[in-house]
Amino acid sequence: MRMPLRDRIALVAALLAPLVVALALPPFRTHMTSANLALILVVVVVVVVAVAALGSRAAGVLAALSAAAWFGFFLTRPYQRFTISHGDDITTTLLLLAVGVAVSQLAAHARTLKLVTVTDAALLARIHDTASLVQAGASYAVVDQVSQQLVEILGLRSCRFEHGTLLGRHPRLEQDGSVSVGRVSWNLEKDSWPGEEIELRASVGSRYLGRFMLVPEPGVAPPPLQTRLVAVSLADHVGSALDTAGPVLDR
């Protein structure tokens, strides 16, 4: 896959920004300690990490490596060589590298938590909207809405709803978010979706009211367990709507 533009910008900044700043610092070597020069490069790394938090985790690590390398090359004796003769300078270089890597990892982790929060909010909104339709007694609207929602959150090619009795023995998305084929549990993480339609039952208690037939998109990995559980919850709402509305014929 082609790397997104913002990721490429972050990587270029990570590689070049510490070099540009390091090139500007040699005139100050006699007036500033190595520790202070290193702190300037730490600031550069932090700025790059701010970009990396919007782009890729790798950019922050690359910035830390670049800063440590050019600090050793331009700002420690012997100058303009990738060797360091003074013990304190070695320690400073290692701390510069460690701080840069640690900050980049924290930024990347914060970005992941933000994405999880946003995703959770979106999924909860879908459940809330569906529950509102159920309370309004709009059984047809619930079926149509949940069909579309399942396509979106599960990354499906298509989804249709079948009323009535079970026909055939299809793989099934279970209440716990797992998938079973016959009596065997299917390994989604290893084998992706089964290569056929998957049923997701809409029921109330032990009473079966219909099922969604899920058609996975080839090459699209199954969503995480949390998303699959939301899909199960949406199907349960459909079961409640149909149970309240009474028998419904296919349209």
Side-chain angles (χ1 to χ4, degrees):
M1 295 180 61
R2 184 177 178 83
M3 182 179 294
L5 177 61
R6 67 180 183 183
D7 287 7
R8 285 179 282 159
I9 292 174
L11 289 174
V12 171
L15 186 63
L16 296 183
L19 172 59
V20 171
V21 174
L23 283 170
L25 290 178
F28 303 97
R29 289 184 303 207
T30 58
H31 306 291
M32 300 177 66
T33 64
S34 295
N36 287 335
L37 294 171
L39 285 175
I40 294 174
L41 288 175
V42 167
V43 173
V44 176
V45 172
V46 170
V47 172
V48 173
V49 165
V51 177
L54 300 175
S56 65
R57 179 193 302 260
V61 176
L62 181 60
L65 291 170
S66 178
W70 297 123
F71 174 76
F73 188 81
F74 289 111
L75 304 175
T76 65
R77 299 178 186 274
Y79 299 129
Q80 297 184 8
R81 292 178 59 186
F82 287 110
T83 57
I84 303 175
S85 59
H86 199 282
D88 288 342
D89 289 339
I90 294 175
T91 301
T92 301
T93 303
L94 293 176
L95 288 174
L96 170 60
L97 176 62
V99 169
V101 171
V103 170
S104 68
Q105 298 305 305
L106 288 173
H109 183 60
R111 178 192 176 209
T112 300
L113 289 178
K114 180 180 179 181
L115 289 175
V116 169
T117 301
V118 171
T119 301
D120 288 350
L123 294 175
L124 287 174
R126 293 177 186 275
I127 295 175
H128 178 269
D129 291 344
T130 302
S132 298
L133 282 178
V134 173
Q135 291 177 354
S139 58
Y140 282 136
V142 172
V143 171
D144 292 339
Q145 176 172 293
V146 170
S147 295
Q148 181 60 37
Q149 289 177 332
L150 292 176
V151 169
E152 293 171 357
I153 68 174
L154 298 178
L156 305 175
R157 170 179 288 181
S158 63
C159 173
R160 71 180 190 280
F161 188 78
E162 295 181 348
H163 299 279
T165 58
L166 293 170
L167 295 174
R169 296 177 60 86
H170 296 275
R172 184 189 309 166
L173 180 56
E174 303 285 1
Q175 286 290 311
D176 62 358
S178 65
V179 171
S180 62
V181 179
R183 297 183 179 180
V184 179
S185 179
W186 185 265
N187 190 331
L188 285 174
E189 286 69 27
K190 178 182 177 182
D191 301 321
S192 192
W193 293 113
E196 56 183 301
E197 288 186 320
I198 302 163
E199 70 172 24
L200 171 58
R201 296 184 178 184
S203 57
V204 175
S206 59
R207 191 156 65 91
Y208 167 77
L209 295 165
R211 64 183 177 182
F212 290 94
M213 300 305 297
L214 316 176
V215 181
E217 186 71 50
V220 175
L225 175 61
Q226 180 185 42
T227 303
R228 301 197 302 271
L229 290 174
V230 170
V232 170
S233 178
L234 292 172
D236 287 342
H237 280 304
V238 170
S240 297
L242 296 179
D243 183 54
T244 302
V248 180
L249 297 177
D250 287 329
R251 292 176 290 167

mmCIF file of all heavy atoms in Angstrom, residues 132-174:
data_model
loop_
_atom_site.group_PDB
_atom_site.id
_atom_site.type_symbol
_atom_site.label_atom_id
_atom_site.label_comp_id
_atom_site.label_asym_id
_atom_site.label_seq_id
_atom_site.Cartn_x
_atom_site.Cartn_y
_atom_site.Cartn_z
ATOM 1 N N SER A 132 -33.450 3.611 19.364
ATOM 2 C CA SER A 132 -34.509 4.614 19.217
ATOM 3 C C SER A 132 -35.549 4.169 18.206
ATOM 4 O O SER A 132 -36.757 4.359 18.413
ATOM 5 C CB SER A 132 -33.901 5.959 18.793
ATOM 6 O OG SER A 132 -33.008 6.440 19.775
ATOM 7 N N LEU A 133 -35.098 3.548 17.102
ATOM 8 C CA LEU A 133 -36.042 3.048 16.105
ATOM 9 C C LEU A 133 -36.885 1.907 16.666
ATOM 10 O O LEU A 133 -38.075 1.790 16.372
ATOM 11 C CB LEU A 133 -35.291 2.577 14.860
ATOM 12 C CG LEU A 133 -34.799 3.656 13.895
ATOM 13 C CD1 LEU A 133 -34.040 3.029 12.732
ATOM 14 C CD2 LEU A 133 -35.975 4.471 13.370
ATOM 15 N N VAL A 134 -36.237 1.049 17.465
ATOM 16 C CA VAL A 134 -36.978 -0.062 18.074
ATOM 17 C C VAL A 134 -38.089 0.482 18.969
ATOM 18 O O VAL A 134 -39.240 0.015 18.930
ATOM 19 C CB VAL A 134 -36.029 -0.971 18.883
ATOM 20 C CG1 VAL A 134 -36.833 -2.021 19.664
ATOM 21 C CG2 VAL A 134 -35.031 -1.657 17.957
ATOM 22 N N GLN A 135 -37.774 1.488 19.777
ATOM 23 C CA GLN A 135 -38.767 2.068 20.680
ATOM 24 C C GLN A 135 -39.904 2.734 19.902
ATOM 25 O O GLN A 135 -41.045 2.780 20.362
ATOM 26 C CB GLN A 135 -38.097 3.080 21.604
ATOM 27 C CG GLN A 135 -37.153 2.442 22.612
ATOM 28 C CD GLN A 135 -36.432 3.461 23.471
ATOM 29 O OE1 GLN A 135 -36.551 4.670 23.253
ATOM 30 N NE2 GLN A 135 -35.682 2.983 24.450
ATOM 31 N N ALA A 136 -39.569 3.224 18.710
ATOM 32 C CA ALA A 136 -40.601 3.867 17.886
ATOM 33 C C ALA A 136 -41.454 2.850 17.143
ATOM 34 O O ALA A 136 -42.432 3.220 16.481
ATOM 35 C CB ALA A 136 -39.947 4.825 16.886
ATOM 36 N N GLY A 137 -41.095 1.562 17.227
ATOM 37 C CA GLY A 137 -41.866 0.525 16.573
ATOM 38 C C GLY A 137 -41.654 0.434 15.079
ATOM 39 O O GLY A 137 -42.485 -0.145 14.370
ATOM 40 N N ALA A 138 -40.565 0.973 14.582
ATOM 41 C CA ALA A 138 -40.295 0.971 13.133
ATOM 42 C C ALA A 138 -39.488 -0.267 12.765
ATOM 43 O O ALA A 138 -38.287 -0.204 12.520
ATOM 44 C CB ALA A 138 -39.549 2.245 12.735
ATOM 45 N N SER A 139 -40.162 -1.426 12.705
ATOM 46 C CA SER A 139 -39.438 -2.684 12.507
ATOM 47 C C SER A 139 -38.769 -2.770 11.138
ATOM 48 O O SER A 139 -37.624 -3.219 11.019
ATOM 49 C CB SER A 139 -40.388 -3.870 12.703
ATOM 50 O OG SER A 139 -41.488 -3.775 11.803
ATOM 51 N N TYR A 140 -39.479 -2.340 10.083
ATOM 52 C CA TYR A 140 -38.874 -2.370 8.751
ATOM 53 C C TYR A 140 -37.654 -1.454 8.699
ATOM 54 O O TYR A 140 -36.610 -1.792 8.141
ATOM 55 C CB TYR A 140 -39.872 -1.930 7.686
ATOM 56 C CG TYR A 140 -40.871 -2.993 7.292
ATOM 57 C CD1 TYR A 140 -42.218 -2.675 7.153
ATOM 58 C CD2 TYR A 140 -40.462 -4.298 7.045
ATOM 59 C CE1 TYR A 140 -43.141 -3.643 6.785
ATOM 60 C CE2 TYR A 140 -41.373 -5.269 6.681
ATOM 61 C CZ TYR A 140 -42.716 -4.944 6.554
ATOM 62 O OH TYR A 140 -43.625 -5.899 6.191
ATOM 63 N N ALA A 141 -37.791 -0.263 9.272
ATOM 64 C CA ALA A 141 -36.690 0.700 9.266
ATOM 65 C C ALA A 141 -35.492 0.156 10.039
ATOM 66 O O ALA A 141 -34.335 0.375 9.653
ATOM 67 C CB ALA A 141 -37.147 2.032 9.852
ATOM 68 N N VAL A 142 -35.754 -0.559 11.135
ATOM 69 C CA VAL A 142 -34.660 -1.138 11.922
ATOM 70 C C VAL A 142 -33.892 -2.155 11.092
ATOM 71 O O VAL A 142 -32.653 -2.166 11.081
ATOM 72 C CB VAL A 142 -35.207 -1.789 13.210
ATOM 73 C CG1 VAL A 142 -34.102 -2.568 13.920
ATOM 74 C CG2 VAL A 142 -35.781 -0.734 14.134
ATOM 75 N N VAL A 143 -34.631 -3.025 10.385
ATOM 76 C CA VAL A 143 -33.966 -4.041 9.565
ATOM 77 C C VAL A 143 -33.087 -3.387 8.504
ATOM 78 O O VAL A 143 -31.924 -3.754 8.307
ATOM 79 C CB VAL A 143 -35.009 -4.967 8.910
ATOM 80 C CG1 VAL A 143 -34.333 -5.879 7.881
ATOM 81 C CG2 VAL A 143 -35.703 -5.810 9.973
ATOM 82 N N ASP A 144 -33.637 -2.392 7.821
ATOM 83 C CA ASP A 144 -32.878 -1.731 6.761
ATOM 84 C C ASP A 144 -31.661 -0.998 7.318
ATOM 85 O O ASP A 144 -30.571 -1.051 6.749
ATOM 86 C CB ASP A 144 -33.772 -0.738 6.013
ATOM 87 C CG ASP A 144 -34.863 -1.442 5.213
ATOM 88 O OD1 ASP A 144 -34.691 -2.647 4.924
ATOM 89 O OD2 ASP A 144 -35.867 -0.799 4.878
ATOM 90 N N GLN A 145 -31.858 -0.306 8.431
ATOM 91 C CA GLN A 145 -30.761 0.455 9.006
ATOM 92 C C GLN A 145 -29.647 -0.452 9.492
ATOM 93 O O GLN A 145 -28.471 -0.201 9.237
ATOM 94 C CB GLN A 145 -31.255 1.326 10.167
ATOM 95 C CG GLN A 145 -30.123 2.087 10.877
ATOM 96 C CD GLN A 145 -30.642 3.072 11.887
ATOM 97 O OE1 GLN A 145 -31.280 4.059 11.533
ATOM 98 N NE2 GLN A 145 -30.395 2.818 13.164
ATOM 99 N N VAL A 146 -30.012 -1.522 10.184
ATOM 100 C CA VAL A 146 -28.988 -2.430 10.706
ATOM 101 C C VAL A 146 -28.262 -3.142 9.568
ATOM 102 O O VAL A 146 -27.043 -3.362 9.644
ATOM 103 C CB VAL A 146 -29.608 -3.439 11.692
ATOM 104 C CG1 VAL A 146 -28.605 -4.536 12.051
ATOM 105 C CG2 VAL A 146 -30.056 -2.716 12.964
ATOM 106 N N SER A 147 -28.961 -3.479 8.501
ATOM 107 C CA SER A 147 -28.286 -4.093 7.352
ATOM 108 C C SER A 147 -27.171 -3.190 6.837
ATOM 109 O O SER A 147 -26.053 -3.646 6.566
ATOM 110 C CB SER A 147 -29.293 -4.376 6.230
ATOM 111 O OG SER A 147 -30.237 -5.351 6.625
ATOM 112 N N GLN A 148 -27.475 -1.897 6.710
ATOM 113 C CA GLN A 148 -26.469 -0.951 6.236
ATOM 114 C C GLN A 148 -25.347 -0.782 7.254
ATOM 115 O O GLN A 148 -24.160 -0.701 6.902
ATOM 116 C CB GLN A 148 -27.124 0.399 5.946
ATOM 117 C CG GLN A 148 -26.165 1.464 5.411
ATOM 118 C CD GLN A 148 -25.510 1.048 4.115
ATOM 119 O OE1 GLN A 148 -26.126 0.403 3.270
ATOM 120 N NE2 GLN A 148 -24.244 1.410 3.940
ATOM 121 N N GLN A 149 -25.714 -0.730 8.524
ATOM 122 C CA GLN A 149 -24.702 -0.576 9.563
ATOM 123 C C GLN A 149 -23.746 -1.767 9.596
ATOM 124 O O GLN A 149 -22.535 -1.594 9.793
ATOM 125 C CB GLN A 149 -25.371 -0.402 10.922
ATOM 126 C CG GLN A 149 -26.063 0.945 11.091
ATOM 127 C CD GLN A 149 -26.771 1.052 12.425
ATOM 128 O OE1 GLN A 149 -27.197 0.046 13.002
ATOM 129 N NE2 GLN A 149 -26.906 2.263 12.928
ATOM 130 N N LEU A 150 -24.262 -2.962 9.414
ATOM 131 C CA LEU A 150 -23.417 -4.151 9.422
ATOM 132 C C LEU A 150 -22.426 -4.118 8.259
ATOM 133 O O LEU A 150 -21.259 -4.515 8.413
ATOM 134 C CB LEU A 150 -24.279 -5.411 9.364
ATOM 135 C CG LEU A 150 -25.123 -5.702 10.611
ATOM 136 C CD1 LEU A 150 -26.016 -6.923 10.381
ATOM 137 C CD2 LEU A 150 -24.232 -5.925 11.828
ATOM 138 N N VAL A 151 -22.877 -3.664 7.104
ATOM 139 C CA VAL A 151 -21.963 -3.530 5.957
ATOM 140 C C VAL A 151 -20.825 -2.586 6.307
ATOM 141 O O VAL A 151 -19.645 -2.855 6.026
ATOM 142 C CB VAL A 151 -22.724 -3.024 4.710
ATOM 143 C CG1 VAL A 151 -21.747 -2.632 3.609
ATOM 144 C CG2 VAL A 151 -23.682 -4.094 4.200
ATOM 145 N N GLU A 152 -21.159 -1.481 6.969
ATOM 146 C CA GLU A 152 -20.163 -0.452 7.259
ATOM 147 C C GLU A 152 -19.182 -0.887 8.342
ATOM 148 O O GLU A 152 -17.964 -0.766 8.179
ATOM 149 C CB GLU A 152 -20.873 0.838 7.669
ATOM 150 C CG GLU A 152 -21.668 1.469 6.538
ATOM 151 C CD GLU A 152 -22.541 2.618 7.007
ATOM 152 O OE1 GLU A 152 -22.556 2.880 8.224
ATOM 153 O OE2 GLU A 152 -23.198 3.256 6.164
ATOM 154 N N ILE A 153 -19.687 -1.391 9.453
ATOM 155 C CA ILE A 153 -18.784 -1.660 10.578
ATOM 156 C C ILE A 153 -18.004 -2.965 10.400
ATOM 157 O O ILE A 153 -16.900 -3.110 10.942
ATOM 158 C CB ILE A 153 -19.534 -1.659 11.928
ATOM 159 C CG1 ILE A 153 -20.483 -2.852 12.039
ATOM 160 C CG2 ILE A 153 -20.266 -0.350 12.130
ATOM 161 C CD1 ILE A 153 -21.138 -2.969 13.410
ATOM 162 N N LEU A 154 -18.566 -3.932 9.657
ATOM 163 C CA LEU A 154 -17.876 -5.205 9.447
ATOM 164 C C LEU A 154 -17.085 -5.230 8.145
ATOM 165 O O LEU A 154 -16.358 -6.190 7.886
ATOM 166 C CB LEU A 154 -18.875 -6.370 9.464
ATOM 167 C CG LEU A 154 -19.645 -6.600 10.772
ATOM 168 C CD1 LEU A 154 -20.625 -7.756 10.619
ATOM 169 C CD2 LEU A 154 -18.682 -6.856 11.928
ATOM 170 N N GLY A 155 -17.209 -4.189 7.328
ATOM 171 C CA GLY A 155 -16.484 -4.151 6.064
ATOM 172 C C GLY A 155 -16.972 -5.197 5.072
ATOM 173 O O GLY A 155 -16.163 -5.864 4.420
ATOM 174 N N LEU A 156 -18.301 -5.338 4.955
ATOM 175 C CA LEU A 156 -18.888 -6.388 4.127
ATOM 176 C C LEU A 156 -19.076 -5.933 2.684
ATOM 177 O O LEU A 156 -19.166 -4.730 2.394
ATOM 178 C CB LEU A 156 -20.241 -6.809 4.691
ATOM 179 C CG LEU A 156 -20.276 -7.269 6.153
ATOM 180 C CD1 LEU A 156 -21.713 -7.523 6.576
ATOM 181 C CD2 LEU A 156 -19.411 -8.505 6.357
ATOM 182 N N ARG A 157 -19.176 -6.895 1.809
ATOM 183 C CA ARG A 157 -19.579 -6.600 0.424
ATOM 184 C C ARG A 157 -21.077 -6.327 0.383
ATOM 185 O O ARG A 157 -21.532 -5.400 -0.303
ATOM 186 C CB ARG A 157 -19.233 -7.769 -0.491
ATOM 187 C CG ARG A 157 -19.833 -7.645 -1.899
ATOM 188 C CD ARG A 157 -19.445 -8.809 -2.781
ATOM 189 N NE ARG A 157 -18.043 -8.734 -3.165
ATOM 190 C CZ ARG A 157 -17.431 -9.613 -3.956
ATOM 191 N NH1 ARG A 157 -18.118 -10.651 -4.439
ATOM 192 N NH2 ARG A 157 -16.153 -9.481 -4.257
ATOM 193 N N SER A 158 -21.874 -7.124 1.090
ATOM 194 C CA SER A 158 -23.318 -6.928 1.129
ATOM 195 C C SER A 158 -23.899 -7.620 2.349
ATOM 196 O O SER A 158 -23.220 -8.415 3.018
ATOM 197 C CB SER A 158 -23.984 -7.480 -0.141
ATOM 198 O OG SER A 158 -23.791 -8.884 -0.231
ATOM 199 N N CYS A 159 -25.151 -7.328 2.609
ATOM 200 C CA CYS A 159 -25.857 -7.930 3.745
ATOM 201 C C CYS A 159 -27.344 -7.908 3.442
ATOM 202 O O CYS A 159 -27.865 -6.884 2.974
ATOM 203 C CB CYS A 159 -25.561 -7.151 5.031
ATOM 204 S SG CYS A 159 -26.524 -7.683 6.465
ATOM 205 N N ARG A 160 -28.022 -9.000 3.685
ATOM 206 C CA ARG A 160 -29.473 -9.047 3.498
ATOM 207 C C ARG A 160 -30.095 -9.737 4.708
ATOM 208 O O ARG A 160 -29.421 -10.473 5.439
ATOM 209 C CB ARG A 160 -29.838 -9.800 2.218
ATOM 210 C CG ARG A 160 -29.616 -11.301 2.270
ATOM 211 C CD ARG A 160 -30.001 -12.001 0.977
ATOM 212 N NE ARG A 160 -30.014 -13.441 1.109
ATOM 213 C CZ ARG A 160 -28.930 -14.218 1.066
ATOM 214 N NH1 ARG A 160 -27.740 -13.671 0.862
ATOM 215 N NH2 ARG A 160 -29.046 -15.537 1.216
ATOM 216 N N PHE A 161 -31.379 -9.490 4.891
ATOM 217 C CA PHE A 161 -32.074 -10.082 6.029
ATOM 218 C C PHE A 161 -33.074 -11.115 5.546
ATOM 219 O O PHE A 161 -33.797 -10.884 4.560
ATOM 220 C CB PHE A 161 -32.793 -9.011 6.844
ATOM 221 C CG PHE A 161 -33.363 -9.540 8.123
ATOM 222 C CD1 PHE A 161 -32.549 -9.767 9.227
ATOM 223 C CD2 PHE A 161 -34.718 -9.824 8.236
ATOM 224 C CE1 PHE A 161 -33.076 -10.271 10.407
ATOM 225 C CE2 PHE A 161 -35.256 -10.318 9.412
ATOM 226 C CZ PHE A 161 -34.425 -10.547 10.496
ATOM 227 N N GLU A 162 -33.131 -12.260 6.218
ATOM 228 C CA GLU A 162 -34.083 -13.320 5.899
ATOM 229 C C GLU A 162 -34.992 -13.553 7.096
ATOM 230 O O GLU A 162 -34.521 -13.796 8.203
ATOM 231 C CB GLU A 162 -33.351 -14.629 5.553
ATOM 232 C CG GLU A 162 -32.503 -14.559 4.296
ATOM 233 C CD GLU A 162 -31.813 -15.886 3.988
ATOM 234 O OE1 GLU A 162 -31.830 -16.774 4.880
ATOM 235 O OE2 GLU A 162 -31.255 -16.023 2.893
ATOM 236 N N HIS A 163 -36.292 -13.468 6.868
ATOM 237 C CA HIS A 163 -37.278 -13.806 7.895
ATOM 238 C C HIS A 163 -37.570 -15.306 7.846
ATOM 239 O O HIS A 163 -37.374 -15.953 6.828
ATOM 240 C CB HIS A 163 -38.586 -13.048 7.658
ATOM 241 C CG HIS A 163 -38.438 -11.565 7.709
ATOM 242 N ND1 HIS A 163 -38.404 -10.856 8.875
ATOM 243 C CD2 HIS A 163 -38.307 -10.660 6.706
ATOM 244 C CE1 HIS A 163 -38.273 -9.582 8.605
ATOM 245 N NE2 HIS A 163 -38.205 -9.426 7.299
ATOM 246 N N GLY A 164 -38.047 -15.833 8.944
ATOM 247 C CA GLY A 164 -38.535 -17.211 8.921
ATOM 248 C C GLY A 164 -37.536 -18.224 9.421
ATOM 249 O O GLY A 164 -36.631 -17.918 10.192
ATOM 250 N N THR A 165 -37.677 -19.440 8.929
ATOM 251 C CA THR A 165 -36.915 -20.576 9.443
ATOM 252 C C THR A 165 -35.533 -20.638 8.812
ATOM 253 O O THR A 165 -35.271 -20.059 7.760
ATOM 254 C CB THR A 165 -37.653 -21.889 9.161
ATOM 255 O OG1 THR A 165 -37.856 -22.008 7.751
ATOM 256 C CG2 THR A 165 -38.997 -21.902 9.872
ATOM 257 N N LEU A 166 -34.673 -21.396 9.455
ATOM 258 C CA LEU A 166 -33.303 -21.564 8.966
ATOM 259 C C LEU A 166 -33.272 -22.465 7.739
ATOM 260 O O LEU A 166 -33.949 -23.491 7.689
ATOM 261 C CB LEU A 166 -32.426 -22.193 10.060
ATOM 262 C CG LEU A 166 -32.149 -21.349 11.302
ATOM 263 C CD1 LEU A 166 -31.483 -22.205 12.367
ATOM 264 C CD2 LEU A 166 -31.264 -20.181 10.945
ATOM 265 N N LEU A 167 -32.484 -22.086 6.770
ATOM 266 C CA LEU A 167 -32.254 -22.908 5.592
ATOM 267 C C LEU A 167 -30.749 -23.053 5.392
ATOM 268 O O LEU A 167 -30.028 -22.065 5.325
ATOM 269 C CB LEU A 167 -32.884 -22.265 4.343
ATOM 270 C CG LEU A 167 -34.407 -22.148 4.313
ATOM 271 C CD1 LEU A 167 -34.852 -21.368 3.081
ATOM 272 C CD2 LEU A 167 -35.049 -23.531 4.329
ATOM 273 N N GLY A 168 -30.284 -24.290 5.308
ATOM 274 C CA GLY A 168 -28.856 -24.521 5.099
ATOM 275 C C GLY A 168 -28.069 -24.444 6.393
ATOM 276 O O GLY A 168 -28.593 -24.077 7.452
ATOM 277 N N ARG A 169 -26.801 -24.798 6.284
ATOM 278 C CA ARG A 169 -25.898 -24.756 7.426
ATOM 279 C C ARG A 169 -24.744 -23.815 7.095
ATOM 280 O O ARG A 169 -23.751 -24.214 6.495
ATOM 281 C CB ARG A 169 -25.381 -26.160 7.764
ATOM 282 C CG ARG A 169 -26.476 -27.129 8.220
ATOM 283 C CD ARG A 169 -25.917 -28.521 8.463
ATOM 284 N NE ARG A 169 -24.897 -28.528 9.481
ATOM 285 C CZ ARG A 169 -25.137 -28.623 10.790
ATOM 286 N NH1 ARG A 169 -26.390 -28.692 11.221
ATOM 287 N NH2 ARG A 169 -24.156 -28.638 11.658
ATOM 288 N N HIS A 170 -24.918 -22.579 7.470
ATOM 289 C CA HIS A 170 -23.924 -21.551 7.162
ATOM 290 C C HIS A 170 -23.020 -21.299 8.378
ATOM 291 O O HIS A 170 -23.426 -21.538 9.521
ATOM 292 C CB HIS A 170 -24.615 -20.246 6.778
ATOM 293 C CG HIS A 170 -25.418 -20.341 5.518
ATOM 294 N ND1 HIS A 170 -24.874 -20.170 4.268
ATOM 295 C CD2 HIS A 170 -26.738 -20.595 5.321
ATOM 296 C CE1 HIS A 170 -25.807 -20.297 3.345
ATOM 297 N NE2 HIS A 170 -26.958 -20.558 3.961
ATOM 298 N N PRO A 171 -21.819 -20.795 8.146
ATOM 299 C CA PRO A 171 -21.032 -20.289 9.276
ATOM 300 C C PRO A 171 -21.839 -19.235 10.021
ATOM 301 O O PRO A 171 -22.672 -18.537 9.417
ATOM 302 C CB PRO A 171 -19.798 -19.669 8.595
ATOM 303 C CG PRO A 171 -19.687 -20.365 7.283
ATOM 304 C CD PRO A 171 -21.099 -20.645 6.855
ATOM 305 N N ARG A 172 -21.594 -19.117 11.321
ATOM 306 C CA ARG A 172 -22.434 -18.242 12.137
ATOM 307 C C ARG A 172 -21.575 -17.317 12.990
ATOM 308 O O ARG A 172 -20.597 -17.746 13.599
ATOM 309 C CB ARG A 172 -23.328 -19.075 13.038
ATOM 310 C CG ARG A 172 -24.319 -18.246 13.882
ATOM 311 C CD ARG A 172 -25.010 -19.118 14.917
ATOM 312 N NE ARG A 172 -25.583 -20.312 14.308
ATOM 313 C CZ ARG A 172 -26.004 -21.364 14.993
ATOM 314 N NH1 ARG A 172 -25.883 -21.373 16.316
ATOM 315 N NH2 ARG A 172 -26.515 -22.401 14.370
ATOM 316 N N LEU A 173 -21.984 -16.046 13.009
ATOM 317 C CA LEU A 173 -21.397 -15.091 13.952
ATOM 318 C C LEU A 173 -22.150 -15.237 15.264
ATOM 319 O O LEU A 173 -23.356 -14.954 15.340
ATOM 320 C CB LEU A 173 -21.519 -13.665 13.403
ATOM 321 C CG LEU A 173 -20.955 -12.531 14.283
ATOM 322 C CD1 LEU A 173 -19.495 -12.770 14.631
ATOM 323 C CD2 LEU A 173 -21.136 -11.190 13.599
ATOM 324 N N GLU A 174 -21.451 -15.718 16.300
ATOM 325 C CA GLU A 174 -22.097 -16.083 17.551
ATOM 326 C C GLU A 174 -22.262 -14.873 18.473
ATOM 327 O O GLU A 174 -21.736 -13.794 18.227
ATOM 328 C CB GLU A 174 -21.262 -17.161 18.258
ATOM 329 C CG GLU A 174 -21.020 -18.418 17.433
ATOM 330 C CD GLU A 174 -22.246 -19.316 17.345
ATOM 331 O OE1 GLU A 174 -23.297 -18.946 17.923
ATOM 332 O OE2 GLU A 174 -22.160 -20.387 16.719
#
